[in-house]
Amino acid sequence: MTDAEIRAEFAHHDRSVARVNNGSFGCCPASVLASRARWQRLFLSQPDAFYYDSLQPGLARSRAAVAALVGAGDASEISLVDNATTAAAIVMQHVAWSFAEGAFERGDAVLMLLYTYSSVKKSIHAYVARAGAHVVEVPLPFPVASPAAIVASFRAALALAKSGGRRRVRLAVIDHITSMPSVVVPVKELVAICREEGVDKVFVDAAHAIGQVRVDVRDVGADFYASNLHKWLFCPSAVAFLHIRKGDPAAAQMHHPVVSSAYGNGLPMESAWIGVRDYSAQLVVPDAVDFVARFEGGVDGVSRRNHDKVVEMGVMLAEAWGTFLGSPPEMCGSMAMVGLPGCFGIDSDDDATRLRTMLRKDYKVEVPIFHNSRTQQVATTDANGDQVTGYVRISHQVYNVREEYEVLRDAVNKLVLDGFSCTQLRPSPPSQNQKMLAH
Amino acid sequence: MASAHTPCNDNAAAKKNGDGGTPITDAEIRTEFAHHDRSVASVNNGSFGCCPGSPGLARSRAAVAALVGAGDASEISLVDNATTAAAIVMQHVAWSFAEGAFQRGDAVLMLLYTYSSVKKSIHAYVARAGAHVVEVPLPFPVASPAAIVASFRAALALAQSGGRRRVRLAVIDHITSMPSVVVPVKELVAICREEGVDKVFVDAAHAIGQVRVDVRDVGADFYASNLHKWLFCPSAVAFLHVRKGDPAAAQMHHPVVSSAYGNGLPMESAWIGVRDYSAQLVVPDAVDFVARFEGGVDGVSRRNHDKVVDMGLMLAEAWGTFLGSPPEMCGSMAMVGLPGCFGIDSDDDATRLRTMLRKDYKVEVPIFHNSRTQAVAITDANGDQVTGYVRISHQVYNVREEYEVLRDAVNKLVLDGFCCTQLRPSSPSQNQKMLAH
């Protein structure tokens, strides 16, 4: 793939924006979008024939492609769903039934991480806490110095959850790569600890993982493993897979929450028919796999180069701003957390959101911003001695170029020079009204 | 999903027929549906709907609210399809059982012809959580709405078990799928209220765009319909209406829980993770499209109804059979008996015949098997018992010739002495038939 070909494949991206946020919505090249359009047209042309002749064989090919990619034993271990949020709902609903039907006792524990994705936390609350589980959150340090820091935190929280052996831990929810702040978690080690300590089931929410780090589901050894294919594996919105180990007795009890005539035929089949809808994103998985194979070294080559580039850009930004990375390079995939100058005074999630919005509108930079609460963390200061409470999460994907990170660098430097502080963006103080009038 | 040609833009003046522009022409209709496979007589709009080639979420909810007589856009949630809407209702009822608001053994009612996926949903959620499920037997062929009402009253009385059992939920189709009839939902909902049924869910998957929908008039607690079947939206988008002020509303959740959880079902449904919401975003465009027809959606559905009945009678006369319900119980779909000599004796027979019609005769039409044991024996003009029906649909893109292709295909099969035994596996005539292909 030449640079010119890459530009052509992503010509639909808004070129006026420094798009350093592949992590949120992913990307899809033109050739995969074209395949998707062909599937859509096939459906529109003769929907009944499509349903009877084309849909299920197409989905079977996609499941097989995923199985090969992730080291699954068998394509029957793979279910295709919209996104990791849906995969989480499947797992949580199963656990809720276990509580409701008495397989688990009220008060049995379910573990999750402090940085577990917000929608997954809500899912745990909506299903599992509601059904009677005692939910334990594993505190995680950030900035984080090494994988060992996460392992130690996890062991301690697990011991607390087990309450000296008086409480069963029925489920541990572990991110492979957390979203905000983003770090690569040593999942294999944590899964092993769960097995040693008698945790019933482990769900690895790997929403960001595939295409970013190597995924080998048997090596990780979780009971349930889910990842989005539209974030880092060039599929269109939206398609994800949920892997369940073959022979797991829970497999027959896992159901898609949208129940259709396929109910009872196994989760892969249930997920392949959840009523009339557009399945084209799920049908182009083989095309996306073909696309990434066109790069030198295939998906491993792509993720390795993305990693090297994002670390290089992260270090460049940190040097320019007098800050630092939120984790060592070994704990970065294709994303990196870079501290923002402490003088910005980011003191809340709202501050982070408003700053992000301003960067989007006024500086044409798209980058998510994480607020790191002062009370939670050890104070870490920048080169000027100001406490760093905000981080950008930069991503690098094949379409990114150095200039985009320089736009981000220069935008932040300009804000520093202008004496910017997040107080200026908060509603209702007089200086805010002046600022709005000036716009 | 843009077509290469955008007739909507070319006819901006014609967009609002109500404002005096000219209504959409046949040529324009053909262009809008140019992506349909023209070699196939496609008389099955009911299954998948259709979408014109021409081109957010709050606007969509408001458009739906206006269309269905809802008091407020906040009563409307957009979901993928009626199957998803059913899952939302069933999960809510399951929690009510699990958390003790309902008692194990309390009853839930559904119809014999409730859609298979909804039956599975009732089983997966509500029966699993402890409900006693009661199925309302329905006659088919059906002579009048009164026959359905009588059947419903009787089943409800049985379910209530002389007052000893609470009926917590009644699931009523507005238009059943197979066999397809228009059900007198308003009357059934009223009966449910009289008899103290807690909640009524009207599964109106087929209704909007086919019959007039006025959710306040129907009076159900939950009412859901697909917008991609008869209202020209792409796959897939449906709405679930929950009456404002219904205490259950705050307890209804989308099963795919996101960060929007707890903000009300409309908001929860508007964010279920990263995915393509474009089908939901084009509802106002679909509403604009149907407004280009004379009489708008009412005009379209009235003409579809007249045409489908016309074509149904034409087929019935040609085949010596009859309609499965009177025209008043048809929307834009009609059930027409197939000649009894076909010997359709199972759902598999029906499926195989359908496949043969698709592959060999280029006709797309679903076929319903009416079990001999369930129905009163009804014979065709030759005295053979009718056990199979086609479900024909009429939508704006259909032309008479397509129904004639269907008519002629069946007539040829009759002349050839066709019988479903020939399609069953392992019969010698089947092997011969396959070799001949």
Side-chain angles (χ1 to χ4, degrees):
Chain A
M1 284 282 270
T2 66
D3 282 353
E5 283 168 330
I6 291 172
R7 273 193 305 275
E9 288 283 3
F10 296 100
H12 49 275
H13 286 193
D14 182 348
R15 313 300 301 176
S16 70
V17 176
R19 182 179 170 142
V20 294
N21 183 27
N22 192 71
S24 283
F25 295 99
C27 64
C28 186
S31 47
V32 176
L33 290 173
S35 295
R36 180 188 204 180
R38 282 193 294 275
W39 282 109
Q40 286 172 333
R41 282 284 163 177
L42 188 64
F43 168 78
L44 288 169
S45 170
Q46 219 300 45
D48 296 85
F50 176 87
Y51 169 47
Y52 283 102
D53 300 335
S54 308
L55 176 60
Q56 294 307 319
L59 292 177
R61 280 195 296 275
S62 290
R63 286 193 299 272
V66 172
L69 213 50
V70 304
D74 205 298
S76 68
E77 300 178 2
I78 301 294
S79 300
L80 296 174
V81 295
D82 274 355
N83 45 42
T85 301
T86 305
I90 290 171
V91 174
M92 300 312 152
Q93 192 175 72
H94 165 67
V95 175
W97 277 118
S98 300
F99 276 94
E101 294 177 324
F104 299 164
E105 314 223 332
R106 292 191 74 84
D108 284 354
V110 167
L111 218 67
M112 66 185 190
L113 309 181
L114 169 61
Y115 296 128
T116 287
Y117 187 57
S118 60
S119 291
V120 175
K121 284 191 174 184
K122 292 269 186 169
S123 206
I124 292 168
H125 167 71
Y127 281 112
V128 151
R130 181 173 182 181
H134 172 77
V135 179
V136 174
E137 198 174 81
V138 177
L140 291 179
F142 188 81
V144 56
S146 70
I150 291 183
V151 172
S153 209
F154 189 83
R155 273 198 194 280
L158 182 49
L160 215 67
K162 287 173 66 172
S163 209
R166 284 189 304 277
R167 187 189 281 126
R168 291 292 301 270
V169 179
R170 296 298 188 177
L171 175 73
V173 181
I174 304 172
D175 292 57
H176 193 155
I177 302 178
T178 52
S179 178
M180 280 300 241
S182 185
V183 298
V184 177
V185 170
V187 280
K188 184 174 173 177
E189 205 169 339
L190 298 189
V191 172
I193 291 168
C194 286
R195 301 302 183 205
E196 287 165 25
E197 298 295 322
V199 173
D200 276 30
K201 290 276 188 268
V202 183
F203 168 42
V204 171
D205 173 7
H208 277 274
I210 192 166
Q212 218 189 129
V213 294
R214 172 139 327 157
V215 170
D216 183 334
V217 290
R218 278 186 291 188
D219 191 53
V220 169
D223 299 281
F224 318 120
Y225 186 103
S227 189
N228 287 326
L229 295 155
H230 54 261
K231 276 193 190 289
W232 294 93
L233 206 74
F234 304 107
C235 288
S237 279
V239 52
F241 72 87
L242 173 58
H243 171 265
I244 299 174
R245 287 183 317 159
K246 197 173 186 141
D248 187 336
Q253 291 305 312
M254 306 282 284
H255 296 289
H256 197 290
V258 178
V259 176
S260 77
S261 51
Y263 181 81
N265 296 343
L267 186 63
M269 290 297 112
E270 291 186 14
S271 305
W273 182 250
I274 52 172
V276 171
R277 43 167 286 159
D278 186 347
Y279 292 89
S280 63
Q282 297 184 5
L283 290 163
V284 297
V285 175
D287 300 273
V289 170
D290 286 349
F291 176 79
V292 76
R294 290 167 59 191
F295 290 82
E296 188 170 337
V299 68
D300 289 342
V302 166
S303 54
R304 192 176 7 96
R305 287 187 295 276
N306 279 337
H307 169 78
D308 292 346
K309 278 279 178 225
V310 87
V311 168
E312 187 188 329
M313 293 299 100
V315 167
M316 183 270 284
L317 292 170
E319 277 177 337
W321 298 340
T323 60
F324 43 84
L325 297 190
S327 75
E330 69 180 293
M331 297 182 78
C332 298
S334 312
M335 302 192 289
M337 302 299 292
V338 186
L340 284 166
C343 60
F344 282 2
I346 297 164
D347 268 345
S348 66
D349 291 347
D350 285 345
D351 278 348
T353 302
R354 282 186 284 258
L355 173 55
R356 176 182 187 176
T357 302
M358 187 179 80
L359 283 172
R360 174 185 309 121
K361 290 189 193 307
D362 297 349
Y363 294 87
K364 307 286 263 173
V365 173
E366 191 59 60
V367 69
I369 298 175
F370 171 66
H371 163 243
N372 202 21
S373 157
R374 288 179 205 270
T375 53
Q376 244 162 18
Q377 305 299 334
V378 171
T380 34
T381 57
D382 63 19
N384 290 329
D386 299 315
Q387 188 177 351
V388 171
T389 55
Y391 297 74
V392 293
R393 184 187 76 188
I394 57 168
S395 296
H396 189 283
Q397 188 42 299
V398 296
Y399 58 80
N400 284 122
V401 294
R402 187 192 174 92
E403 286 70 26
E404 295 175 288
Y405 304 88
E406 292 173 343
V407 170
L408 171 58
R409 175 197 65 194
D410 297 344
V412 169
N413 281 341
K414 180 171 195 310
L415 287 170
V416 171
L417 266 172
D418 289 351
F420 170 79
S421 162
C422 278
T423 48
Q424 297 164 13
L425 294 180
R426 292 174 196 153
S428 75
S431 59
Q432 169 64 5
N433 293 337
Q434 287 173 1
K435 194 167 177 62
M436 288 184 69
L437 286 169
H439 278 124
Chain B
M1 210 162 47
S3 66
H5 177 110
T6 52
C8 247
N9 294 334
D10 296 346
N11 291 284
K15 254 183 139 74
K16 300 285 189 224
N17 184 45
D19 297 342
T22 50
I24 193 168
T25 66
D26 283 350
E28 286 166 337
I29 291 172
R30 277 194 300 277
T31 306
E32 288 283 5
F33 294 97
H35 50 274
H36 285 195
D37 183 349
R38 312 300 302 175
S39 71
V40 175
S42 187
V43 294
N44 185 25
N45 190 71
S47 282
F48 294 99
C50 61
C51 173
S54 53
L57 296 175
R59 279 178 53 229
S60 291
R61 285 193 296 274
V64 172
L67 214 49
V68 305
D72 204 298
S74 68
E75 301 179 355
I76 300 294
S77 299
L78 296 173
V79 295
D80 275 355
N81 45 42
T83 302
T84 305
I88 290 171
V89 174
M90 300 312 151
Q91 189 174 74
H92 166 66
V93 175
W95 276 119
S96 300
F97 277 94
E99 294 178 324
F102 299 164
Q103 312 231 334
R104 292 191 74 84
D106 285 355
V108 167
L109 218 69
M110 66 185 190
L111 309 181
L112 169 61
Y113 296 129
T114 286
Y115 187 56
S116 61
S117 292
V118 175
K119 284 192 174 183
K120 292 269 186 170
S121 207
I122 291 168
H123 167 72
Y125 281 111
V126 152
R128 181 173 182 180
H132 173 75
V133 180
V134 175
E135 197 174 80
V136 178
L138 291 179
F140 188 79
V142 58
S144 70
I148 291 184
V149 172
S151 210
F152 188 84
R153 272 197 194 282
L156 182 49
L158 214 68
Q160 288 181 313
S161 206
R164 283 188 306 279
R165 186 189 283 126
R166 291 293 299 270
V167 179
R168 296 297 187 179
L169 176 73
V171 180
I172 304 172
D173 293 56
H174 193 155
I175 303 177
T176 52
S177 178
M178 280 299 241
S180 185
V181 298
V182 177
V183 171
V185 281
K186 184 174 172 176
E187 205 169 338
L188 297 188
V189 171
I191 291 168
C192 287
R193 300 303 183 205
E194 287 165 26
E195 298 294 323
V197 172
D198 275 31
K199 290 275 189 267
V200 182
F201 168 43
V202 172
D203 173 7
H206 276 273
I208 192 167
Q210 220 190 126
V211 293
R212 174 143 320 162
V213 170
D214 183 335
V215 292
R216 278 186 290 188
D217 190 53
V218 168
D221 299 281
F222 317 119
Y223 186 104
S225 187
N226 287 325
L227 295 155
H228 54 261
K229 277 193 188 288
W230 294 92
L231 206 72
F232 304 106
C233 289
S235 279
V237 52
F239 72 87
L240 172 58
H241 172 262
V242 179
R243 284 184 317 162
K244 196 173 187 145
D246 187 334
Q251 292 305 313
M252 307 281 283
H253 296 288
H254 197 291
V256 178
V257 176
S258 78
S259 49
Y261 181 81
N263 296 341
L265 186 62
M267 291 297 113
E268 290 187 16
S269 305
W271 182 248
I272 52 172
V274 171
R275 42 166 285 159
D276 185 348
Y277 293 90
S278 61
Q280 298 184 5
L281 290 165
V282 298
V283 174
D285 301 272
V287 170
D288 284 350
F289 176 79
V290 75
R292 290 166 61 190
F293 290 82
E294 188 167 338
V297 67
D298 288 342
V300 166
S301 55
R302 192 176 6 97
R303 286 187 295 275
N304 279 336
H305 168 78
D306 291 345
K307 277 276 180 233
V308 86
V309 168
D310 194 20
M311 293 298 100
L313 290 172
M314 183 270 284
L315 293 171
E317 268 180 304
W319 298 340
T321 62
F322 42 83
L323 297 189
S325 76
E328 70 181 289
M329 296 181 79
C330 298
S332 311
M333 303 192 289
M335 303 298 292
V336 187
L338 284 166
C341 59
F342 283 1
I344 298 164
D345 267 346
S346 65
D347 292 348
D348 285 345
D349 278 349
T351 302
R352 282 186 284 259
L353 174 56
R354 177 180 187 174
T355 302
M356 185 179 80
L357 283 172
R358 176 185 308 121
K359 291 190 191 305
D360 296 349
Y361 293 88
K362 305 286 263 175
V363 175
E364 189 59 61
V365 69
I367 298 175
F368 171 66
H369 163 244
N370 201 23
S371 156
R372 287 178 206 272
T373 53
Q374 243 159 21
V376 172
I378 311 197
T379 57
D380 62 17
N382 291 329
D384 299 314
Q385 187 178 352
V386 172
T387 55
Y389 296 75
V390 292
R391 184 188 76 187
I392 57 167
S393 296
H394 189 283
Q395 188 42 298
V396 297
Y397 59 80
N398 283 120
V399 294
R400 188 192 173 93
E401 287 69 26
E402 296 177 286
Y403 304 89
E404 292 174 343
V405 170
L406 171 58
R407 174 198 66 193
D408 297 345
V410 169
N411 281 342
K412 180 170 195 310
L413 287 170
V414 170
L415 267 171
D416 290 349
F418 170 79
C419 172
C420 277
T421 47
Q422 297 162 13
L423 294 180
R424 291 176 197 154
S426 73
S427 84
S429 57
Q430 166 66 5
N431 293 338
Q432 287 172 1
K433 200 168 173 58
M434 289 182 72
L435 285 168
H437 279 122

